[in-house]
């Protein structure tokens, strides 16, 4: 992609990464990703907002070929997919000053070995005039690192939000109207890295509420020309009220737990509860994370391996504990052959989940009538609990 204008004097100078399939050696990227960087030209000064993943620095070099001087390089977020090419930019423009938040300074020094004397810390709310283009720096911590800030371009009413409002999506389309076409990648992205900081993100949403934002230009995925819809989506995702949804990560070795899962899915559906089961032997972790954004209840299904849960299920347990979803209830179903502490180990691995644990349903060997009756009981309890918090 060539550089592209998003407003007069404001250019996209980033890179698409069509073929990347994994982030942090962990997060699946079914749609690739992009690293958006923006060049803002005032009548007196020029600023570059963020850079690109080092492996894609060639695109940034080519976009900046005709740029003769750069006064400021704004680092909104010290993670390397945006900051990794800062050393190249500072070499290419020896007069450029690197601007960042107070917490970012030591991170940029430690992670990228940037010379301290090139860095100037900007304060929350500080403005910088480029001549007819005024940048206002807004600290927006924990979207998703503590040092992250956004930048508001006052004259054009553009919010450069870095990861916040972003989506891992490589696309030839720079702009998007509404949120429908990008809803799934945006939600996936929120789920994977933002969800643990839900309450702080809500504070950040409050912080920008009074700002007249006509465009949101994140550092991954398309630019929003109708920002209200993605802001509303974030308001829903970060809200305390879950949806009438049960997420059910499970794994089965000989079909016993699978039989229980099938039965429970039907019992819940009969009670008008949306169920999202995931076989953890093959599940897309991003989809599991997305389900956790809304679910009121999480039920883990596992057979016992030696004395504990099957490791593939434990992966989902670790994920749920790390992502700290808004779920209110949790339970466990599964089986054992001769003995074990599977439910106790799962429960003890979820200290971050602020949930009421509902009685587990664990059977020895293949489920029989009493076990199916217990699953009906669990479904009934879930329905009653959901109703009690206003879900139906
Ligand atoms: Fe896109 Fe947190 O870096």
């Amino acid at each position: 992609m060539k550089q592209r204008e998003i407003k007069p004097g404001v250019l996209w100078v980033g890179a698409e990464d069509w073929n990347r399939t994994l982030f942090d050696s962990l997060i699946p990227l079914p749609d690739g990703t992009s690293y958006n960087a923006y060049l803002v030209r005032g009548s007196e000064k020029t600023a570059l907002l963020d850079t690109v993943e080092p492996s894609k620095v060639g695109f940034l070099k080519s976009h900046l070929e005709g740029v003769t001087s750069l006064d400021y390089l704004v680092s909104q977020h010290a993670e390397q997919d945006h900051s990794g090419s800062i050393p190249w930019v500072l070499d290419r423009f020896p007069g450029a000053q690197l601007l960042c938040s107070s917490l970012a300074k030591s991170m940029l020094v430690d992670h990228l070995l940037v010379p301290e004397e090139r860095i100037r810390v900007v304060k929350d709310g500080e403005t910088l005039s480029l001549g007819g283009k005024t940048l206002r720096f807004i600290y927006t911590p924990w979207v998703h690192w503590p040092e992250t800030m956004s930048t508001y371009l006052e004259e054009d009413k553009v919010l450069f939000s870095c990861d916040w409002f972003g989506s891992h999506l490589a696309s030839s389309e720079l702009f998007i109207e509404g949120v429908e076409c990008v809803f799934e990648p945006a939600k996936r992205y929120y789920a994977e890295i933002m969800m643990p900081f839900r309450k702080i993100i809500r504070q950040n949403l409050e912080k920008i509420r009074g700002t007249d934002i006509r465009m949101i230009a994140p550092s991954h995925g398309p630019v929003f020309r109708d920002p209200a819809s993605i802001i509303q989506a974030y308001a829903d995702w970060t809200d305390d009220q879950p949806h009438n949804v049960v997420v059910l990560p499970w794994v089965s070795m000989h079909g016993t737990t699978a039989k229980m899962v099938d039965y429970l899915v039907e019992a819940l559906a009969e009670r008008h509860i949306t169920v999202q089961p995931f076989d953890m032997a093959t599940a897309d972790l991003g989809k599991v994370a997305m389900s956790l954004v809304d679910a009121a209840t999480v039920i883990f299904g596992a057979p016992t391996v030696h004395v504990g849960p099957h490791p593939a299920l434990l992966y989902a347990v670790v994920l749920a504990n790390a992502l700290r979803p808004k779920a209110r209830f949790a339970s466990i179903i599964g089986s054992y052959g001769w003995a074990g502490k599977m439910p106790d180990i799962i429960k003890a691995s979820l200290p971050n989940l602020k949930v009421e644990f509902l009685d587990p349903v664990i059977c020895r060997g293949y489920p029989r009538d009493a076990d199916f009756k217990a699953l009906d009981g669990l479904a009934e309890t879930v329905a009653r609990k959901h109703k009690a918090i206003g879900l139906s």
Side-chain angles (χ1 to χ4, degrees):
M1 295 293 144
K2 296 198 166 143
Q3 53 174 231
R4 290 177 281 182
E5 185 179 84
I6 67 162
K7 289 276 182 185
V10 185
L11 295 173
W12 175 91
V13 292
E16 302 295 326
D17 198 342
W18 300 93
N19 300 320
R20 188 163 181 178
T21 54
L22 209 55
F23 201 93
D24 291 342
S25 301
L26 171 69
I27 297 169
L29 302 181
D31 305 307
T33 191
S34 66
Y35 316 107
N36 300 334
Y38 302 94
L39 191 71
V40 183
R41 283 190 163 119
S43 58
E44 296 159 17
K45 308 274 187 186
T46 300
L48 175 66
L49 274 59
D50 289 321
T51 69
V52 299
E53 172 78 29
S55 64
K56 298 290 175 189
V57 72
F59 291 96
L60 187 63
K61 286 180 183 176
S62 120
H63 294 321
L64 298 181
E65 235 165 47
V67 177
T68 51
S69 74
L70 183 74
D71 302 284
Y72 304 107
L73 169 54
V74 179
S75 174
Q76 303 188 103
H77 177 28
E79 192 167 10
Q80 288 85 339
D81 52 328
H82 310 294
S83 67
S85 298
I86 284 176
W88 174 80
V89 175
L90 293 180
D91 277 353
R92 163 83 166 73
F93 299 101
Q97 195 168 40
L98 179 59
L99 308 181
C100 65
S101 72
S102 48
L103 284 179
K105 182 175 178 180
S106 62
M107 290 184 175
L108 294 169
V109 170
D110 290 342
H111 291 300
L112 300 164
L113 310 180
V114 172
E116 275 194 63
E117 59 275 17
R118 297 290 302 269
I119 303 177
R120 177 163 77 81
V121 167
V122 293
K123 295 194 189 89
D124 185 24
E126 185 174 330
T127 56
L128 175 72
S129 174
L130 306 175
K133 300 272 186 204
T134 308
L135 303 179
R136 175 154 40 106
F137 304 108
I138 305 171
Y139 280 23
T140 45
W142 295 108
V143 289
H144 58 121
W145 278 14
E147 90 305 357
T148 314
M149 66 177 189
S150 303
T151 305
Y152 180 64
L153 177 54
E154 293 188 340
E155 290 78 2
D156 296 290
K157 306 186 188 322
V158 179
L159 182 73
F160 299 95
S161 58
C162 202
D163 283 340
W164 198 20
F165 304 120
S167 46
H168 281 310
L169 177 64
S171 172
S172 59
E173 304 294 317
L174 180 59
F175 294 106
I176 193 159
E177 311 291 342
V179 75
E180 293 77 16
C181 300
V182 78
F183 187 83
E184 180 159 332
K187 186 175 184 181
R188 175 186 279 267
Y189 193 56
Y190 166 83
E192 288 163 342
I193 66 167
M194 304 278 176
M195 194 173 5
F197 315 112
R198 186 170 60 85
K199 289 180 193 293
I200 302 176
I201 293 172
R202 224 162 52 200
Q203 290 168 15
N204 287 332
L205 286 172
E206 276 303 310
K207 193 171 181 178
I208 63 163
R209 183 191 285 275
T211 306
D212 184 6
I213 299 168
R214 306 284 174 87
M215 180 182 281
I216 289 181
S219 295
H220 296 289
V223 171
F224 293 93
R225 278 203 283 225
D226 170 21
S229 50
I230 186 68
I231 292 174
Q232 183 50 48
Y234 262 72
D236 178 43
W237 298 336
T238 57
D239 189 75
D240 280 337
Q241 181 70 348
H243 296 192
N244 191 20
V245 171
V246 169
V247 58
L248 209 173
W250 63 276
V251 69
S252 190
M253 292 158 69
H254 300 292
T256 301
T257 303
K259 182 78 183 166
M260 297 176 78
V261 167
D262 286 346
Y263 189 90
L264 183 59
V265 167
E266 232 170 84
L268 289 164
E270 275 170 12
R271 289 163 175 84
H272 309 293
I273 296 168
T274 301
V275 195
Q276 294 168 346
F278 294 97
D279 180 351
M280 292 309 298
T282 53
D284 171 347
L285 281 184
K287 291 210 164 185
V288 179
M290 268 193 283
S291 294
L292 289 167
V293 171
D294 303 316
T297 298
V298 189
I299 299 177
F300 298 95
T304 301
V305 176
H306 302 305
V307 293
H310 190 290
L313 190 277
L314 214 40
Y315 203 146
V317 172
V318 170
L319 185 75
N321 188 58
L323 294 178
R324 286 179 254 171
K326 65 176 85 165
R328 305 276 190 89
F329 311 102
S331 192
I332 300 155
I333 63 171
S335 58
Y336 66 98
W338 47 94
K341 296 183 175 175
M342 182 267 285
D344 299 335
I345 291 172
I346 291 177
K347 198 171 168 185
S349 305
L350 293 165
N352 292 339
L353 252 61
K354 304 303 173 207
V355 292
E356 177 186 345
F357 276 95
L358 310 177
D359 287 343
V361 179
I362 310 298
C363 66
R364 178 171 175 149
Y366 205 73
R368 281 157 274 196
D369 286 349
D371 304 307
F372 293 125
K373 205 170 163 193
L375 289 170
D376 279 325
L378 176 58
E380 190 56 37
T381 303
V382 170
R384 190 163 34 79
K385 293 285 181 185
H386 281 203
K387 203 168 173 193
I389 60 167
L391 307 175
S392 57

